[in-house]
Amino acid sequence: MNALTTALGHDGLRKDARGILVIEDSRTFALALRQFLEAETGLPVTTCASLKDLSELIVAAPGAYAIAVVDLNLPDAPRGEALDWTVAHGIPTVVFTATFDLATRGRIMEREVIDYVLKDSEFALGNLVGTVKRALDNRHTRILVVDDTRTTRKVLARMLAIQQYVVVEASSGAEALALLDANPDLQLVVSDYYMPDMDGFELARSIRRRHPKVRLIGISSSTDRKTSAGFLKAGAHDFVSRPFVLEELQCRIASNVETLTQLKQLQELAARDYLTGLFNRRHFFEQGPPLIGTAQKAGFPVSIALLDIDHFKQLNDRYGHDGGDKVLSSVAGNLSRLAEHETRLLARVGGEEFAILFAGADLATACRLAEGIRAEIAREPLLLGGAELSLTVSIGVAEIGVSESLDASLGRADRALYTAKQEGRNRVCAAGQEA
């Protein structure tokens, strides 16, 4: 990760390349589960039908599996010995079982598994795959646990870690707020009520005021039922009483994480242009200024490019709106391939206009990057109306001055774009070089 990426706060999360291990003695069910899991997760699935095969697989490829799905009762492992193997070798495990009673539940949960799913209906396969997907997704969710008692805090943190969440701990309300301020990727807080510096109600109000997108679950061993109401009125989204029923805690946290995911998806949809899938003008003007400020504060230059499809009106008139949409989608697809990068912000900002912020690029570098984009688009013909159509773009580029507004710099890039059109189109012009 380079210095600019670090300054901009990208975490560089990579997809887990390890596979999924399924231990199931029913060949038909194992095949269906493998196909379903591979389709839903994109990860390779290895199946085996016995404890003997399982032990050989794990010994042959230690560390090869991100998660295991274990049938509790196998012909050569009738008492959950396969589960003991996966847990002992540090493989996060989901149990799938047709035999279930309180004793079985206790035997499963004491082994610190992610969850168990019952073979009790036609929905069992879907439930199992959903549980595996959630566990894999949980690895990208950071949860802050706040409790001034170390032992209690560690117990809760361990419960969450078993569910594959990334856990951060705080021993006071003040420490929790400091961690939230410094770590914008913290999405969920689980907080005790009793703390020496501020109680859970005060912490909830502070989080609601300073970090309104963060969800909060209050916890308490108090027998006063007004405690839960106090948490909710102070801004918490949920409440759990101690001592925990483990499955209840899991479900409540999972429900809040799912809500966060849905909100993120809605925000993503609101930020995207419906036709091209690129970010829209609103998102560009919301995210552009903080990106510029962060990069410049760290000592990096930032430039902006404004791109326009040449002769788009004539293309639209000739081929109709459907043809015009295909032109826009084609250019957007090329831009996405060529210009989307963790230090760049790309958006459709007008009918046939696109803007790119290049964080870390001075004027000369941005012009070179823009020239590469222009040349690549010109080399990619579009099949339209049964014929190959050559598309070209004109681009204006400006380096953004310190304390210069995004509007002002975009205006200078627009004037440079006008110059590029006046000089014959299909070219890049830099601000300061206008005729």
Side-chain angles (χ1 to χ4, degrees), residues 145-212:
V145 174
V146 190
D147 197 307
D148 64 316
T149 304
R150 184 179 186 278
T151 302
T152 306
R153 188 174 70 246
K154 291 295 182 184
V155 168
L156 180 54
R158 176 61 184 162
M159 289 179 181
L160 294 172
I162 291 169
Q163 299 300 305
Q164 305 303 296
Y165 295 110
V166 180
V167 183
V168 179
E169 298 178 37
S171 59
S172 68
E175 184 182 3
L177 292 172
L179 284 168
L180 287 168
D181 290 341
N183 297 275
D185 57 343
L186 285 168
Q187 303 170 59
L188 179 67
V189 176
V190 182
S191 175
D192 189 27
Y193 171 70
Y194 295 105
M195 287 181 293
D197 59 338
M198 66 177 75
D199 62 30
F201 299 167
E202 185 179 350
L203 177 60
R205 285 190 287 267
S206 296
I207 291 173
R208 192 62 171 265
R209 183 173 62 253
R210 291 162 60 168
H211 302 282

Side-chain angles (χ1 to χ4, degrees), residues 213-234:
K213 294 182 180 180
V214 173
R215 294 186 75 82
L216 173 67
I217 299 177
I219 56 176
S220 177
S221 56
S222 172
T223 57
D224 186 349
R225 298 185 64 180
K226 292 191 292 294
T227 304
S228 61
F231 257 118
L232 296 172
K233 286 191 173 184

Side-chain angles (χ1 to χ4, degrees), residues 105-313:
R105 175 193 173 278
R107 193 152 48 94
I108 292 172
M109 299 310 293
E110 71 184 8
R111 286 168 167 82
E112 296 189 335
V113 302
I114 294 172
D115 206 350
Y116 59 85
V117 178
L118 305 182
K119 297 180 181 179
D120 61 351
S121 72
E122 68 272 24
F123 305 111
L125 182 60
N127 291 339
L128 180 57
V129 173
T131 299
V132 172
K133 285 183 64 181
R134 279 193 300 274
L136 293 170
D137 289 342
N138 286 350
R139 299 177 180 195
H140 304 299
T141 301
R142 300 187 75 202
I143 297 179
L144 177 61
V145 174
V146 190
D147 197 307
D148 64 316
T149 304
R150 184 179 186 278
T151 302
T152 306
R153 188 174 70 246
K154 291 295 182 184
V155 168
L156 180 54
R158 176 61 184 162
M159 289 179 181
L160 294 172
I162 291 169
Q163 299 300 305
Q164 305 303 296
Y165 295 110
V166 180
V167 183
V168 179
E169 298 178 37
S171 59
S172 68
E175 184 182 3
L177 292 172
L179 284 168
L180 287 168
D181 290 341
N183 297 275
D185 57 343
L186 285 168
Q187 303 170 59
L188 179 67
V189 176
V190 182
S191 175
D192 189 27
Y193 171 70
Y194 295 105
M195 287 181 293
D197 59 338
M198 66 177 75
D199 62 30
F201 299 167
E202 185 179 350
L203 177 60
R205 285 190 287 267
S206 296
I207 291 173
R208 192 62 171 265
R209 183 173 62 253
R210 291 162 60 168
H211 302 282
K213 294 182 180 180
V214 173
R215 294 186 75 82
L216 173 67
I217 299 177
I219 56 176
S220 177
S221 56
S222 172
T223 57
D224 186 349
R225 298 185 64 180
K226 292 191 292 294
T227 304
S228 61
F231 257 118
L232 296 172
K233 286 191 173 184
H237 299 84
D238 209 339
F239 178 83
V240 184
S241 296
R242 281 196 176 102
F244 303 124
V245 175
L246 183 56
E247 290 93 328
E248 179 190 6
L249 178 64
Q250 292 172 352
C251 289
R252 288 186 183 276
I253 290 176
S255 177
N256 277 274
V257 170
E258 184 178 359
T259 298
L260 283 168
T261 301
Q262 291 170 345
L263 289 172
K264 186 176 180 180
Q265 290 170 344
L266 289 173
Q267 291 164 357
E268 180 75 7
L269 286 172
R272 294 284 178 178
D273 172 58
Y274 76 97
L275 174 63
T276 64
L278 300 181
F279 286 124
N280 55 29
R281 182 182 183 89
R282 176 181 176 182
H283 182 84
F284 187 80
F285 278 91
E286 285 179 349
Q287 298 302 313
L291 186 150
I292 295 166
T294 301
Q296 290 183 338
K297 186 177 180 180
F300 295 100
V302 184
S303 296
I304 187 169
L306 190 62
L307 177 151
D308 188 280
I309 301 173
D310 293 330
H311 304 296
F312 179 76
K313 186 177 185 304

Side-chain angles (χ1 to χ4, degrees), residues 363 367 395-398 412-413 415-417 419 428-434:
L363 184 61
C367 285
I395 307 176
V397 183
R412 292 195 297 115
R415 291 192 291 275
L417 171 61
T419 300
V428 176
C429 282
Q433 299 176 353
E434 295 99 332

